[in-house]
Amino acid sequence: QVQLIESGGGLVQAGGSLRLSCAASGRTFSSYGMGWFRQAPGKEREFVVAIDWSGGSTYYADSVKGRFTISRDNGKKTVYLQMNSLKPEDTAVYYCAAAPITTRADYIRSDKYTYWGQGTQVTVSS
């Protein structure tokens, strides 16, 4: 069993930065792939970024490439999402997710993730 708690969301002006954190409990964190998804009002949940268990491979949605960076610290059981050059269209609830993913194609699929956090709101004003 893995529990995930996100933090770091808030209100920021366009062009600003935020860093989200996702703290995990459970002994299997270091063997899990981790992903961030987001959901804006009236829209479906969408993939943002993911990282494999070692941190050696990362996957980004085209909309955030070059602006967002995912990283993880297995010793601290935490995954981070550094978000720079934020845009109003980045406004959403951001969710952290975990799963024992081994297939590259599965990282972008929300249905492949087993555990989810409660979400943290990110609002970018124009």
Side-chain angles (χ1 to χ4, degrees), residues 34-50:
M34 301 293 296
W36 287 95
F37 291 76
R38 65 187 182 187
Q39 188 166 19
K43 295 187 177 181
E44 293 187 353
R45 188 170 298 187
E46 66 173 0
F47 169 76
V48 178
V49 61

Side-chain angles (χ1 to χ4, degrees), residues 39-113:
Q39 188 166 19
K43 295 187 177 181
E44 293 187 353
R45 188 170 298 187
E46 66 173 0
F47 169 76
V48 178
V49 61
I51 189 167
D52 75 350
W53 67 274
S54 69
S57 295
T58 55
Y59 311 92
Y60 292 88
D62 289 342
S63 59
V64 305
K65 279 181 182 177
R67 299 189 298 122
F68 289 12
T69 303
I70 189 172
S71 62
R72 67 188 294 162
D73 184 333
N74 285 342
K76 294 182 178 179
K77 296 184 179 180
T78 301
V79 63
Y80 304 99
L81 179 60
Q82 179 66 45
M83 305 186 294
N84 298 329
S85 302
L86 283 161
K87 305 175 181 179
E89 50 263 45
D90 294 319
T91 295
V93 176
Y94 283 71
Y95 297 91
C96 173
I101 293 176
T102 57
T103 303
R104 177 175 180 171
D106 288 345
Y107 278 97
I108 67 172
R109 294 179 53 176
S110 61
D111 63 321
K112 294 297 184 180
Y113 287 81

